């Protein structure tokens, strides 16, 4: 019996359009160029952040994050970033008595922005707040801890096979793959999981 649904954030409940467009503007490159680079690295099974490393070789991503914040051009999330089906889906799950948790690889700031949207969820948390990120087993163990659920009664929903599907199966959770975003579409039928080099994006 399913008692808890844990959902990823990027390209599961939130579209990443604004995220990548804002990075293209910050790096002063055409949005289409960065979007194409994202698609290229995803097709190769590489980390999303490699798109920015291709656009700006030698880029120091943590330093760029800090510079954007200092310039008043940091992260933004509002209602327009949500997929249209998110609110009704989460509300429907809660009406069924299922505990809804949102947890993904995002910054602490993204967690604050998500909670400000007043989503129909019991808990919203990010890797930046927990100090551990997917695909590390500790991330999913922390998710189970806060959800007060056992692996067998918990489903993790996400778009990214290497971050969301294979590692959750490895720790005993049930999984549901959502076909959204480049990872969700390109790797939907993958049975082994791409190996990626980790970075800040994704």
């Amino acid at each position: 019996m399913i008692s808890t649904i844990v959902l990823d954030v990027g390209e599961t409940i939130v579209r990443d359009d604004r995220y990548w467009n804002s990075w293209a503007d910050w790096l002063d490159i055409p949005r289409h160029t960065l979007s194409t680079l994202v698609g290229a690295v995803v097709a190769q099974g590489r980390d999303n952040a490699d798109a920015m490393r291709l656009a700006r070789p030698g880029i120091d991503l943590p330093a760029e994050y800090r510079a954007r914040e200092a310039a008043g051009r940091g992260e933004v999330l509002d209602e327009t970033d949500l997929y249209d089906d998110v609110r009704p889906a989460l509300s429907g799950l809660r009406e069924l008595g299922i505990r809804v948790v949102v947890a993904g690889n995002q910054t602490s700031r993204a967690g604050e922005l998500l909670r400000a949207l007043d989503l129909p969820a019991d808990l919203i948390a990010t890797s930046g707040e927990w100090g551990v990120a997917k695909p590390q087993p500790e991330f999913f163990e922390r998710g189970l801890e806060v959800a007060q659920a056992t692996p067998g009664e918990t489903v993790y929903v996400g778009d990214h096979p290497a971050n969301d599907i294979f590692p959750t199966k490895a720790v005993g959770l049930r999984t549901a793959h959502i076909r959204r975003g480049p990872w969700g579409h390109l790797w939907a039928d993958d049975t082994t999981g791409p190996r990626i080099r980790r970075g800040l994006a994704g």
Side-chain angles (χ1 to χ4, degrees):
M1 181 175 178
I2 303 302
S3 67
T4 304
I5 303 288
V6 184
L7 299 105
D8 176 39
V9 178
E11 294 301 350
T12 297
I13 67 168
V14 172
R15 290 188 297 271
D16 282 344
D17 307 51
R18 186 202 299 265
Y19 178 85
W20 290 111
N21 287 344
S22 67
W23 270 109
D25 295 345
W26 176 257
L27 296 174
D28 195 26
I29 60 175
R31 292 179 174 184
H32 175 69
T33 298
L34 186 58
S35 177
T36 302
L37 290 174
V38 170
V41 299
V42 169
Q44 295 169 8
R46 296 164 61 182
D47 182 24
N48 292 351
D50 282 346
M52 289 185 279
R53 297 184 183 103
L54 288 170
R56 288 287 181 271
I59 189 173
D60 182 337
L61 286 173
E64 292 296 326
Y65 268 90
R66 292 190 297 270
R68 286 185 58 183
E69 288 289 342
R73 295 174 62 181
E75 293 180 86
V76 176
L77 276 175
D78 63 29
E79 193 71 22
T80 64
D81 295 300
L82 296 175
Y83 277 101
D84 293 339
D85 58 1
V86 168
R87 286 193 182 277
L90 300 191
S91 295
L93 289 169
R94 294 184 81 187
E95 288 170 6
L96 292 172
I98 294 175
R99 184 170 171 80
V100 175
V101 176
V102 175
N105 276 0
Q106 271 75 33
T107 64
S108 298
R109 173 62 177 158
E112 296 171 0
L113 293 168
L114 285 166
R115 286 187 289 273
L117 293 177
D118 194 26
L119 293 169
D122 297 284
L123 179 74
I124 296 173
T126 67
S127 58
E129 294 166 329
W130 285 351
V132 63
K134 299 180 295 182
Q136 297 302 312
E138 293 81 5
F139 178 92
F140 303 105
E141 291 165 1
R142 183 68 184 276
L144 288 172
E145 177 186 338
V146 299
Q148 300 176 344
T150 63
E153 62 185 10
T154 304
V155 177
Y156 192 91
V157 181
D159 65 301
H160 197 309
N163 278 354
D164 302 327
I165 305 304
F166 296 100
T168 49
K169 286 182 179 179
V171 297
L173 278 75
R174 301 184 184 197
T175 62
H177 178 265
I178 189 165
R179 192 185 289 259
R180 282 180 173 164
W183 280 102
H185 288 283
L186 284 170
W187 293 96
D189 300 319
D190 181 58
T191 58
T192 58
R195 296 181 179 274
I196 64 171
R197 177 162 60 86
R198 299 302 309 143
L200 284 173

